[in-house]
Amino acid sequence: MRAHGLVAACGALALCLALTEATNPGFVVRITQAGLDYAHQQGIAVLEKELAQLKLPDISGDFRIRHVGNVRYEISRLDLRSFHLPYSRITLVPSLGLQVAISNAFAEVDGNWRVKIHFIRDHGSFDLKVENIYIKISLKLGSDPSGKPTIDTSDCNTRISNVRVHFSGKFGRLYNLFHSAIESRFRKILESEVCRNVINSVRSELQPYLQTLPVTARIDVMAGTAGIDYSLVGPPTVTSQSLDVDLKGEFFSLAHRSTVPFPPLVLNLPPEHDRMVYFGTSSYFFNTAGFVYHAAGVLVFEITDSMIPKGFDFHLNTSTFSAFVPQLEMMYPNMMMKLRLSAPSAPFLNIGPGGLSLKPVVDIQAYAILPNSSLAPLFLLGLTGNVSAVINMKSNHVAGNLNVGRMKFSLKHSDVGPFQVRTLQSIMNIVASNILLPRLNERLEKGFPLPLPDRIQLYNTLVQFHQNFLLLGADVHYQPREGR
Ligand SMILES: *[C@@H]1O[C@H](CO)[C@@H](O)[C@H](O)[C@H]1NC(C)=O
Ligand SMILES: *[C@@H]1O[C@H](CO)[C@@H](O)[C@H](O)[C@H]1NC(C)=O
Ligand SMILES: *[C@@H]1O[C@H](CO)[C@@H](O)[C@H](O)[C@H]1NC(C)=O
């Protein structure tokens, strides 16, 4: 049935493909029951404080007592001394949202009373115990047009089964006669005030907090050229196991955004649930980074003599290189050299169970630096190699570190006539692994930020590799704002 509906809805296959492409996430945040339990614990602590500050209205009314007559009463200065929520739990309601059930909550209230019977007036204080408060809250999650998450109360129900009022004063016992009238009015007021407060707290505290999720993350790996789009591609989905939030997960150019020419693949997260939160990071996510940086022309790297580490007894000059390219001695004697590395195409990364690898193609253009500082092109080498990456999670960032396997060099073009490239292999290997790689890794060290709302710290992290995606797991620590 579903498949038929989908085909009918899509009409043409091309449209169908476009639709599926548009909705596959590049990044998935999965919150497990353990994560929800932790969030719930924080939320309940806030709600408990909010409820203890409930403002209750004065109550007044008339009541008839047999043989006595009409009694006018007034209850004022109601003050909630405490509101306790000792038992509660949060559950996932598949395809609907979340449900919070609070049971056996209790509260204590003080207040003043005043009665008038015929010409007699009396007043005093009372205390009231409210027990067996049961609150059921249904929460619905969504996304707004800017791709930020939204949350709202779709249903709230409070039931109070036990209110006990105790009057003190000269005729206290007499007034206890009409406690039931007061108790039932009080119960109704409290029931609606609790839900009003819950709805308000979700709107004024929880929703703004969720909206601190940075849907655009700025990154400084390559001189602030790119950002990450972490906007939601649809409302979060609730299954019996987890709450999944699908994000676009795409790098984009801050200068001008263009369409990524490849689609995100389906991300099938494994049913892991040890950690509070998991981040499924598609190879699409990393490849959009390569695409954006390549298009921005920042995948260029220049190597000069001054970058050669101390302790290496060679210099980047034409006398050194004339051992491999003899004609340099004649054509450009005693000149310094410069290597310019660039990527002719965007690097493409593969993620599989064995790890993360890429086969970059790098062009290396060698120049002689002439006495008047202009550059004379010498030769152009092509470098291919197998690069593997190690992924680290450091606080709320994910950083990488590249390892290069054997590299292959080929001569693409020469301005100085033919020579044996093979002989250059060892010196170029030294340059690539001792100069290029450490500098590249230094930049990758900064990593990219994970999409997290404010005041969250991750710990107990794990990194796993799966077909087409990287799975990061962590537990969460929430740091409440000062003075709360
Ligand atoms: C070029 O490098 C060699 C060592 O590799 C060094 O002996 C020589 O002095 C250098 N020449 C210049 C001009 O720097
Ligand atoms: C630098 O010198 C070279 C050869 O001596 C010459 O061809 C080139 O035009 C000069 N460049 C500048 C900017 O003077
Ligand atoms: C890279 O790995 C592939 C196999 O995955 C191999 O065929 C190729 O020769 C390797 N390239 C280099 C430069 O080692």
Side-chain angles (χ1 to χ4, degrees):
M1 282 310 286
R2 258 190 86 171
H4 276 112
L6 192 61
V7 171
C10 292
L13 183 63
L15 178 60
C16 198
L17 282 175
L19 284 176
T20 48
E21 274 177 19
T23 49
N24 266 346
F27 200 102
V28 175
V29 181
R30 168 167 289 180
I31 301 163
T32 62
Q33 183 68 48
L36 285 177
D37 287 344
Y38 181 75
H40 171 70
Q41 205 181 310
Q42 308 298 320
I44 285 293
V46 173
L47 185 62
E48 203 168 45
K49 281 184 198 152
E50 293 279 322
L51 288 178
Q53 281 165 19
L54 269 185
K55 293 278 168 285
L56 298 172
D58 294 351
I59 305 172
S60 61
D62 293 291
F63 193 72
R64 270 199 86 75
I65 301 178
R66 231 145 69 97
H67 309 306
V68 175
N70 205 44
V71 178
R72 171 137 196 95
Y73 67 88
E74 198 184 300
I75 302 284
S76 60
R77 293 172 169 268
L78 286 165
D79 180 29
L80 263 167
R81 269 190 301 150
S82 62
F83 209 118
H84 296 283
L85 308 174
Y87 306 105
S88 65
R89 63 195 196 106
I90 188 164
T91 44
L92 291 149
V93 186
S95 66
L96 282 181
L98 302 169
Q99 194 178 76
V100 177
I102 300 167
S103 54
N104 292 329
F106 59 97
E108 287 172 304
V109 186
D110 292 336
N112 292 341
W113 57 265
R114 186 179 288 279
V115 294
K116 190 177 152 216
I117 309 170
H118 303 298
F119 300 108
I120 307 162
R121 289 165 194 271
D122 197 5
H123 64 90
S125 63
F126 73 94
D127 60 71
L128 194 138
K129 282 191 170 39
V130 193
E131 288 167 345
N132 296 341
I133 308 175
Y134 181 85
I135 310 169
K136 199 169 85 182
I137 306 158
S138 300
L139 297 170
K140 189 172 157 48
L141 293 141
S143 58
D144 71 10
S146 71
K148 293 209 177 221
T150 60
I151 189 160
D152 207 359
T153 315
S154 52
D155 192 30
C156 178
N157 212 301
T158 302
R159 231 179 45 229
I160 298 169
S161 59
N162 200 353
V163 177
R164 276 184 299 141
V165 64
H166 177 258
F167 291 94
S168 50
K170 206 165 20 160
F171 302 112
R173 284 185 51 165
L174 174 67
Y175 307 132
N176 282 328
L177 286 175
F178 60 86
H179 68 96
S180 64
I182 290 174
E183 283 165 6
S184 73
R185 283 198 62 186
F186 183 80
R187 177 186 306 155
K188 285 210 180 66
I189 288 171
L190 193 60
E191 282 174 351
S192 76
E193 284 299 310
V194 165
C195 274
R196 221 168 57 91
N197 193 276
V198 164
I199 292 166
N200 224 344
S201 295
V202 168
R203 247 176 232 160
S204 64
E205 307 250 347
L206 193 52
Q207 159 95 351
Y209 176 68
L210 284 191
Q211 298 237 322
T212 63
L213 181 86
V215 294
T216 302
R218 290 185 77 110
I219 30 178
D220 51 3
V221 178
M222 297 276 182
T225 43
I228 304 175
D229 184 342
Y230 276 137
S231 59
L232 274 69
V233 296
T237 48
V238 180
T239 67
S240 59
Q241 302 294 317
S242 61
L243 174 67
D244 288 357
V245 189
D246 289 356
L247 308 181
K248 190 141 191 100
E250 183 179 295
F251 281 69
F252 65 95
S253 160
L254 293 174
H256 79 104
R257 189 165 184 168
S258 53
T259 316
V260 179
F262 45 86
L265 299 168
V266 180
L267 267 177
N268 282 320
L269 264 55
E272 304 270 341
H273 59 266
D274 288 353
R275 299 295 202 276
M276 293 182 188
V277 62
Y278 288 93
F279 304 93
T281 314
S282 165
S283 49
Y284 174 82
F285 177 82
F286 295 104
N287 286 328
T288 58
F291 171 73
V292 165
Y293 288 129
H294 180 256
V298 294
L299 299 182
V300 173
F301 192 76
E302 292 197 335
I303 296 177
T304 55
D305 186 59
S306 62
M307 293 174 163
I308 292 173
K310 305 258 177 299
F312 282 82
D313 60 350
F314 81 88
H315 286 274
L316 201 52
N317 66 28
T318 51
S319 358
T320 310
F321 274 76
S322 62
F324 319 107
V325 191
Q327 52 272 48
L328 290 183
E329 185 112 67
M330 293 289 292
M331 296 173 76
Y332 300 100
N334 287 322
M335 289 181 193
M336 299 313 284
M337 284 173 63
K338 179 185 215 165
L339 301 175
R340 188 172 187 273
L341 284 70
S342 61
S345 59
F348 208 80
L349 176 142
N350 264 301
I351 307 178
L356 208 145
S357 64
L358 63 161
K359 296 189 201 307
V361 179
V362 179
D363 279 351
I364 305 175
Q365 174 67 53
Y367 297 98
I369 305 172
L370 302 181
N372 66 6
S373 315
S374 60
L375 300 174
L378 303 177
F379 51 84
L380 175 66
L381 299 177
L383 180 161
T384 51
N386 291 329
V387 177
S388 62
V390 177
I391 299 290
N392 299 302
M393 272 175 90
K394 282 191 201 155
S395 65
N396 296 347
H397 274 67
V398 178
N401 203 290
L402 301 179
N403 289 314
V404 180
R406 213 165 55 86
M407 286 174 275
K408 256 194 209 134
F409 296 90
S410 59
L411 183 62
K412 284 188 156 178
H413 176 78
S414 174
D415 291 289
V416 294
F419 61 92
Q420 288 290 316
V421 183
R422 199 170 32 81
T423 58
L424 270 179
Q425 181 95 21
S426 60
I427 193 167
M428 292 311 292
N429 253 319
I430 293 172
V431 168
S433 29
N434 294 287
I435 302 169
L436 174 63
L437 205 59
R439 279 162 199 264
L440 214 53
N441 280 334
E442 204 175 285
R443 289 188 180 183
L444 292 174
E445 192 85 349
K446 291 181 184 158
F448 65 89
L450 289 167
L452 294 169
D454 284 355
R455 303 189 296 279
I456 291 283
Q457 273 302 317
L458 299 177
Y459 69 99
N460 209 8
T461 55
L462 72 79
V463 177
Q464 283 179 3
F465 298 99
H466 294 269
Q467 198 56 48
N468 291 322
F469 68 96
L470 182 67
L471 185 72
L472 308 163
D475 285 331
V476 168
H477 177 72
Y478 172 76
Q479 181 67 53
R481 223 175 333 197
E482 297 290 321
R484 300 213 114 230

